[in-house]
mmCIF file of all heavy atoms in Angstrom:
data_model
loop_
_atom_site.group_PDB
_atom_site.id
_atom_site.type_symbol
_atom_site.label_atom_id
_atom_site.label_comp_id
_atom_site.label_asym_id
_atom_site.label_seq_id
_atom_site.Cartn_x
_atom_site.Cartn_y
_atom_site.Cartn_z
ATOM 1 N N LEU E 1 0.854 -1.191 0.000
ATOM 2 C CA LEU E 1 0.000 0.000 0.000
ATOM 3 C C LEU E 1 0.887 1.236 0.000
ATOM 4 O O LEU E 1 1.601 1.489 0.965
ATOM 5 C CB LEU E 1 -0.904 0.017 1.232
ATOM 6 C CG LEU E 1 -1.746 1.295 1.404
ATOM 7 C CD1 LEU E 1 -2.770 1.428 0.280
ATOM 8 C CD2 LEU E 1 -2.426 1.315 2.775
ATOM 9 N N ARG E 2 0.823 2.012 -1.072
ATOM 10 C CA ARG E 2 1.529 3.289 -1.107
ATOM 11 C C ARG E 2 0.578 4.380 -0.627
ATOM 12 O O ARG E 2 -0.523 4.529 -1.169
ATOM 13 C CB ARG E 2 2.013 3.613 -2.518
ATOM 14 C CG ARG E 2 3.181 2.759 -2.989
ATOM 15 C CD ARG E 2 3.633 3.187 -4.372
ATOM 16 N NE ARG E 2 4.833 2.468 -4.802
ATOM 17 C CZ ARG E 2 5.452 2.670 -5.956
ATOM 18 N NH1 ARG E 2 4.977 3.593 -6.800
ATOM 19 N NH2 ARG E 2 6.531 1.983 -6.278
ATOM 20 N N ALA E 3 1.012 5.147 0.364
ATOM 21 C CA ALA E 3 0.207 6.251 0.888
ATOM 22 C C ALA E 3 0.970 7.556 0.728
ATOM 23 O O ALA E 3 2.203 7.570 0.652
ATOM 24 C CB ALA E 3 -0.128 6.021 2.359
ATOM 25 N N THR E 4 0.241 8.649 0.664
ATOM 26 C CA THR E 4 0.857 9.967 0.600
ATOM 27 C C THR E 4 1.369 10.369 1.985
ATOM 28 O O THR E 4 1.212 9.639 2.963
ATOM 29 C CB THR E 4 -0.159 11.007 0.092
ATOM 30 O OG1 THR E 4 -1.344 10.923 0.892
ATOM 31 C CG2 THR E 4 -0.500 10.766 -1.366
ATOM 32 N N GLN E 5 1.994 11.538 2.059
ATOM 33 C CA GLN E 5 2.497 12.032 3.336
ATOM 34 C C GLN E 5 1.354 12.170 4.339
ATOM 35 O O GLN E 5 0.216 12.460 3.976
ATOM 36 C CB GLN E 5 3.168 13.396 3.152
ATOM 37 C CG GLN E 5 4.347 13.386 2.202
ATOM 38 C CD GLN E 5 5.557 12.655 2.740
ATOM 39 O OE1 GLN E 5 5.630 12.341 3.926
ATOM 40 N NE2 GLN E 5 6.511 12.362 1.885
ATOM 41 N N PHE E 6 1.689 11.959 5.608
ATOM 42 C CA PHE E 6 0.700 12.133 6.670
ATOM 43 C C PHE E 6 0.530 13.623 6.986
ATOM 44 O O PHE E 6 1.407 14.441 6.703
ATOM 45 C CB PHE E 6 1.137 11.414 7.948
ATOM 46 C CG PHE E 6 1.490 9.967 7.727
ATOM 47 C CD1 PHE E 6 2.562 9.408 8.406
ATOM 48 C CD2 PHE E 6 0.763 9.172 6.865
ATOM 49 C CE1 PHE E 6 2.898 8.083 8.218
ATOM 50 C CE2 PHE E 6 1.091 7.844 6.665
ATOM 51 C CZ PHE E 6 2.163 7.297 7.344
ATOM 52 N N HIS E 7 -0.580 13.969 7.622
ATOM 53 C CA HIS E 7 -0.773 15.346 8.079
ATOM 54 C C HIS E 7 0.365 15.764 9.016
ATOM 55 O O HIS E 7 0.753 16.934 9.045
ATOM 56 C CB HIS E 7 -2.108 15.470 8.810
ATOM 57 C CG HIS E 7 -3.306 15.306 7.915
ATOM 58 N ND1 HIS E 7 -3.374 15.834 6.645
ATOM 59 C CD2 HIS E 7 -4.492 14.673 8.122
ATOM 60 C CE1 HIS E 7 -4.538 15.535 6.108
ATOM 61 N NE2 HIS E 7 -5.236 14.830 6.969
ATOM 62 N N GLU E 8 0.904 14.818 9.770
ATOM 63 C CA GLU E 8 1.992 15.119 10.709
ATOM 64 C C GLU E 8 3.276 15.550 10.020
ATOM 65 O O GLU E 8 4.202 16.064 10.678
ATOM 66 C CB GLU E 8 2.274 13.887 11.581
ATOM 67 C CG GLU E 8 1.212 13.580 12.613
ATOM 68 C CD GLU E 8 0.075 12.727 12.077
ATOM 69 O OE1 GLU E 8 0.001 12.483 10.846
ATOM 70 O OE2 GLU E 8 -0.761 12.298 12.890
ATOM 71 N N PHE E 9 3.377 15.347 8.700
ATOM 72 C CA PHE E 9 4.612 15.686 7.984
ATOM 73 C C PHE E 9 4.918 17.176 8.056
ATOM 74 O O PHE E 9 6.087 17.584 8.086
ATOM 75 C CB PHE E 9 4.493 15.236 6.529
ATOM 76 C CG PHE E 9 5.756 15.417 5.733
ATOM 77 C CD1 PHE E 9 6.908 14.742 6.073
ATOM 78 C CD2 PHE E 9 5.787 16.274 4.638
ATOM 79 C CE1 PHE E 9 8.076 14.901 5.340
ATOM 80 C CE2 PHE E 9 6.938 16.445 3.895
ATOM 81 C CZ PHE E 9 8.083 15.756 4.245
ATOM 82 N N ALA E 10 3.899 18.017 8.089
ATOM 83 C CA ALA E 10 4.129 19.457 8.196
ATOM 84 C C ALA E 10 4.836 19.787 9.508
ATOM 85 O O ALA E 10 5.756 20.620 9.543
ATOM 86 C CB ALA E 10 2.805 20.215 8.108
ATOM 87 N N GLU E 11 4.433 19.135 10.576
ATOM 88 C CA GLU E 11 5.068 19.377 11.869
ATOM 89 C C GLU E 11 6.497 18.857 11.887
ATOM 90 O O GLU E 11 7.400 19.493 12.431
ATOM 91 C CB GLU E 11 4.247 18.716 12.982
ATOM 92 C CG GLU E 11 4.800 19.000 14.371
ATOM 93 C CD GLU E 11 3.842 18.561 15.451
ATOM 94 O OE1 GLU E 11 3.447 17.385 15.454
ATOM 95 O OE2 GLU E 11 3.486 19.400 16.283
ATOM 96 N N GLN E 12 6.706 17.700 11.288
ATOM 97 C CA GLN E 12 8.054 17.146 11.205
ATOM 98 C C GLN E 12 8.977 18.112 10.471
ATOM 99 O O GLN E 12 10.105 18.380 10.913
ATOM 100 C CB GLN E 12 8.028 15.802 10.487
ATOM 101 C CG GLN E 12 9.418 15.218 10.292
ATOM 102 C CD GLN E 12 9.445 14.197 9.184
ATOM 103 O OE1 GLN E 12 8.456 14.015 8.462
ATOM 104 N NE2 GLN E 12 10.560 13.528 9.044
ATOM 105 N N THR E 13 8.513 18.635 9.344
ATOM 106 C CA THR E 13 9.302 19.575 8.557
ATOM 107 C C THR E 13 9.613 20.835 9.363
ATOM 108 O O THR E 13 10.749 21.322 9.364
ATOM 109 C CB THR E 13 8.536 19.956 7.272
ATOM 110 O OG1 THR E 13 8.267 18.777 6.518
ATOM 111 C CG2 THR E 13 9.340 20.922 6.427
ATOM 112 N N LEU E 14 8.634 21.336 10.078
ATOM 113 C CA LEU E 14 8.808 22.562 10.856
ATOM 114 C C LEU E 14 9.791 22.370 12.003
ATOM 115 O O LEU E 14 10.582 23.264 12.310
ATOM 116 C CB LEU E 14 7.452 23.009 11.408
ATOM 117 C CG LEU E 14 7.405 24.310 12.205
ATOM 118 C CD1 LEU E 14 7.870 25.484 11.358
ATOM 119 C CD2 LEU E 14 5.993 24.542 12.733
ATOM 120 N N ASP E 15 9.771 21.205 12.621
ATOM 121 C CA ASP E 15 10.565 20.980 13.821
ATOM 122 C C ASP E 15 11.968 20.461 13.545
ATOM 123 O O ASP E 15 12.749 20.263 14.474
ATOM 124 C CB ASP E 15 9.840 20.000 14.748
ATOM 125 C CG ASP E 15 8.579 20.615 15.350
ATOM 126 O OD1 ASP E 15 8.454 21.857 15.315
ATOM 127 O OD2 ASP E 15 7.721 19.854 15.838
ATOM 128 N N ARG E 16 12.296 20.233 12.273
ATOM 129 C CA ARG E 16 13.633 19.731 11.958
ATOM 130 C C ARG E 16 14.718 20.723 12.374
ATOM 131 O O ARG E 16 15.766 20.333 12.888
ATOM 132 C CB ARG E 16 13.758 19.467 10.453
ATOM 133 C CG ARG E 16 13.208 18.126 10.005
ATOM 134 C CD ARG E 16 13.293 18.000 8.502
ATOM 135 N NE ARG E 16 12.824 16.713 8.038
ATOM 136 C CZ ARG E 16 12.542 16.433 6.775
ATOM 137 N NH1 ARG E 16 12.691 17.376 5.847
ATOM 138 N NH2 ARG E 16 12.116 15.242 6.421
ATOM 139 N N VAL E 17 14.460 22.014 12.120
ATOM 140 C CA VAL E 17 15.445 23.046 12.436
ATOM 141 C C VAL E 17 14.770 24.119 13.277
ATOM 142 O O VAL E 17 13.968 24.906 12.764
ATOM 143 C CB VAL E 17 16.033 23.674 11.156
ATOM 144 C CG1 VAL E 17 17.071 24.730 11.520
ATOM 145 C CG2 VAL E 17 16.638 22.605 10.263
ATOM 146 N N PRO E 18 15.051 24.178 14.579
ATOM 147 C CA PRO E 18 14.437 25.212 15.418
ATOM 148 C C PRO E 18 15.047 26.577 15.129
ATOM 149 O O PRO E 18 16.104 26.693 14.506
ATOM 150 C CB PRO E 18 14.779 24.742 16.833
ATOM 151 C CG PRO E 18 16.035 23.942 16.674
ATOM 152 C CD PRO E 18 15.937 23.277 15.341
ATOM 153 N N GLY E 19 14.374 27.609 15.578
ATOM 154 C CA GLY E 19 14.895 28.958 15.379
ATOM 155 C C GLY E 19 13.874 29.847 14.713
ATOM 156 O O GLY E 19 12.723 29.459 14.479
ATOM 157 N N PRO E 20 14.282 31.060 14.358
ATOM 158 C CA PRO E 20 13.322 32.041 13.809
ATOM 159 C C PRO E 20 12.916 31.759 12.370
ATOM 160 O O PRO E 20 11.920 32.293 11.898
ATOM 161 C CB PRO E 20 14.092 33.359 13.898
ATOM 162 C CG PRO E 20 15.536 32.954 13.838
ATOM 163 C CD PRO E 20 15.623 31.641 14.558
ATOM 164 N N PHE E 21 13.687 30.923 11.664
ATOM 165 C CA PHE E 21 13.383 30.634 10.261
ATOM 166 C C PHE E 21 12.914 29.198 10.115
ATOM 167 O O PHE E 21 13.449 28.285 10.752
ATOM 168 C CB PHE E 21 14.607 30.868 9.373
ATOM 169 C CG PHE E 21 15.141 32.273 9.429
ATOM 170 C CD1 PHE E 21 16.277 32.571 10.181
ATOM 171 C CD2 PHE E 21 14.502 33.294 8.753
ATOM 172 C CE1 PHE E 21 16.769 33.855 10.244
ATOM 173 C CE2 PHE E 21 14.987 34.590 8.803
ATOM 174 C CZ PHE E 21 16.122 34.873 9.554
ATOM 175 N N ALA E 22 11.931 28.995 9.257
ATOM 176 C CA ALA E 22 11.443 27.658 8.932
ATOM 177 C C ALA E 22 11.688 27.422 7.450
ATOM 178 O O ALA E 22 10.995 27.981 6.600
ATOM 179 C CB ALA E 22 9.961 27.532 9.254
ATOM 180 N N VAL E 23 12.700 26.620 7.154
ATOM 181 C CA VAL E 23 13.043 26.313 5.765
ATOM 182 C C VAL E 23 12.188 25.129 5.316
ATOM 183 O O VAL E 23 12.283 24.035 5.875
ATOM 184 C CB VAL E 23 14.538 25.986 5.622
ATOM 185 C CG1 VAL E 23 14.866 25.647 4.164
ATOM 186 C CG2 VAL E 23 15.384 27.158 6.109
ATOM 187 N N VAL E 24 11.350 25.370 4.311
ATOM 188 C CA VAL E 24 10.359 24.365 3.901
ATOM 189 C C VAL E 24 10.490 24.102 2.403
ATOM 190 O O VAL E 24 10.452 25.036 1.601
ATOM 191 C CB VAL E 24 8.926 24.854 4.208
ATOM 192 C CG1 VAL E 24 7.904 23.789 3.814
ATOM 193 C CG2 VAL E 24 8.795 25.212 5.682
ATOM 194 N N PRO E 25 10.660 22.838 2.013
ATOM 195 C CA PRO E 25 10.737 22.551 0.579
ATOM 196 C C PRO E 25 9.402 22.787 -0.118
ATOM 197 O O PRO E 25 8.335 22.529 0.460
ATOM 198 C CB PRO E 25 11.120 21.065 0.536
ATOM 199 C CG PRO E 25 10.668 20.509 1.842
ATOM 200 C CD PRO E 25 10.813 21.619 2.837
ATOM 201 N N ARG E 26 9.475 23.294 -1.325
ATOM 202 C CA ARG E 26 8.257 23.434 -2.128
ATOM 203 C C ARG E 26 7.822 22.040 -2.581
ATOM 204 O O ARG E 26 8.589 21.320 -3.213
ATOM 205 C CB ARG E 26 8.517 24.328 -3.340
ATOM 206 C CG ARG E 26 8.810 25.780 -2.964
ATOM 207 C CD ARG E 26 8.815 26.673 -4.197
ATOM 208 N NE ARG E 26 9.104 28.058 -3.864
ATOM 209 C CZ ARG E 26 8.200 28.943 -3.448
ATOM 210 N NH1 ARG E 26 6.931 28.563 -3.315
ATOM 211 N NH2 ARG E 26 8.546 30.181 -3.177
ATOM 212 N N MET E 27 6.590 21.682 -2.245
ATOM 213 C CA MET E 27 6.140 20.331 -2.540
ATOM 214 C C MET E 27 4.626 20.282 -2.585
ATOM 215 O O MET E 27 3.952 20.848 -1.725
ATOM 216 C CB MET E 27 6.638 19.360 -1.453
ATOM 217 C CG MET E 27 6.321 17.912 -1.722
ATOM 218 S SD MET E 27 6.952 16.852 -0.398
ATOM 219 C CE MET E 27 5.575 16.897 0.742
ATOM 220 N N ARG E 28 4.087 19.617 -3.595
ATOM 221 C CA ARG E 28 2.661 19.336 -3.649
ATOM 222 C C ARG E 28 2.417 17.947 -3.078
ATOM 223 O O ARG E 28 3.139 17.000 -3.376
ATOM 224 C CB ARG E 28 2.142 19.389 -5.090
ATOM 225 C CG ARG E 28 2.164 20.752 -5.721
ATOM 226 C CD ARG E 28 1.661 20.679 -7.155
ATOM 227 N NE ARG E 28 0.199 20.565 -7.203
ATOM 228 C CZ ARG E 28 -0.467 19.886 -8.120
ATOM 229 N NH1 ARG E 28 0.187 19.190 -9.046
ATOM 230 N NH2 ARG E 28 -1.781 19.866 -8.126
ATOM 231 N N THR E 29 1.406 17.840 -2.261
ATOM 232 C CA THR E 29 1.078 16.552 -1.658
ATOM 233 C C THR E 29 -0.429 16.485 -1.447
ATOM 234 O O THR E 29 -1.121 17.498 -1.551
ATOM 235 C CB THR E 29 1.831 16.347 -0.334
ATOM 236 O OG1 THR E 29 1.545 15.037 0.190
ATOM 237 C CG2 THR E 29 1.438 17.397 0.698
ATOM 238 N N GLN E 30 -0.904 15.304 -1.169
ATOM 239 C CA GLN E 30 -2.320 15.103 -0.892
ATOM 240 C C GLN E 30 -2.415 14.388 0.455
ATOM 241 O O GLN E 30 -2.704 13.205 0.518
ATOM 242 C CB GLN E 30 -2.982 14.288 -2.016
ATOM 243 C CG GLN E 30 -4.503 14.345 -2.013
ATOM 244 C CD GLN E 30 -5.092 13.831 -3.312
ATOM 245 O OE1 GLN E 30 -4.482 13.969 -4.375
ATOM 246 N NE2 GLN E 30 -6.272 13.232 -3.249
ATOM 247 N N PRO E 31 -2.148 15.101 1.553
ATOM 248 C CA PRO E 31 -1.899 14.471 2.853
ATOM 249 C C PRO E 31 -3.111 13.737 3.407
ATOM 250 O O PRO E 31 -4.260 14.085 3.137
ATOM 251 C CB PRO E 31 -1.516 15.657 3.737
ATOM 252 C CG PRO E 31 -2.217 16.828 3.116
ATOM 253 C CD PRO E 31 -2.148 16.568 1.633
ATOM 254 N N ILE E 32 -2.799 12.739 4.229
ATOM 255 C CA ILE E 32 -3.832 11.873 4.784
ATOM 256 C C ILE E 32 -3.594 11.679 6.276
ATOM 257 O O ILE E 32 -2.458 11.747 6.756
ATOM 258 C CB ILE E 32 -3.843 10.516 4.048
ATOM 259 C CG1 ILE E 32 -5.017 9.650 4.522
ATOM 260 C CG2 ILE E 32 -2.505 9.790 4.205
ATOM 261 C CD1 ILE E 32 -5.297 8.461 3.649
ATOM 262 N N ALA E 33 -4.649 11.426 7.016
ATOM 263 C CA ALA E 33 -4.542 11.146 8.445
ATOM 264 C C ALA E 33 -3.904 9.779 8.653
ATOM 265 O O ALA E 33 -4.272 8.797 8.000
ATOM 266 C CB ALA E 33 -5.929 11.179 9.091
ATOM 267 N N ALA E 34 -2.950 9.700 9.560
ATOM 268 C CA ALA E 34 -2.261 8.438 9.830
ATOM 269 C C ALA E 34 -3.233 7.349 10.277
ATOM 270 O O ALA E 34 -3.060 6.176 9.941
ATOM 271 C CB ALA E 34 -1.181 8.657 10.890
ATOM 272 N N ARG E 35 -4.260 7.723 11.027
ATOM 273 C CA ARG E 35 -5.228 6.708 11.464
ATOM 274 C C ARG E 35 -5.976 6.111 10.276
ATOM 275 O O ARG E 35 -6.291 4.918 10.269
ATOM 276 C CB ARG E 35 -6.222 7.291 12.469
ATOM 277 C CG ARG E 35 -7.231 6.252 12.958
ATOM 278 C CD ARG E 35 -8.135 6.771 14.033
ATOM 279 N NE ARG E 35 -7.465 6.950 15.315
ATOM 280 C CZ ARG E 35 -7.208 5.933 16.152
ATOM 281 N NH1 ARG E 35 -7.522 4.702 15.829
ATOM 282 N NH2 ARG E 35 -6.630 6.185 17.306
#
């Protein structure tokens, strides 16, 4: 089963590098709830 990124992926991306800047890759996705 291939699934798209989870909704939690946004938080993972944000928390990778703490500080005043949030470096986020440009990406299209169709996120889904992990449950």
Side-chain angles (χ1 to χ4, degrees):
L1 174 66
R2 288 182 175 181
T4 53
Q5 300 290 347
F6 307 141
H7 292 320
E8 288 86 351
F9 186 62
E11 184 169 55
Q12 176 201 7
T13 301
L14 183 60
D15 291 343
R16 277 176 178 166
V17 181
F21 301 102
V23 179
V24 182
R26 293 190 181 276
M27 185 180 87
R28 293 179 77 214
T29 183
Q30 196 166 329
I32 186 166
R35 181 175 288 281

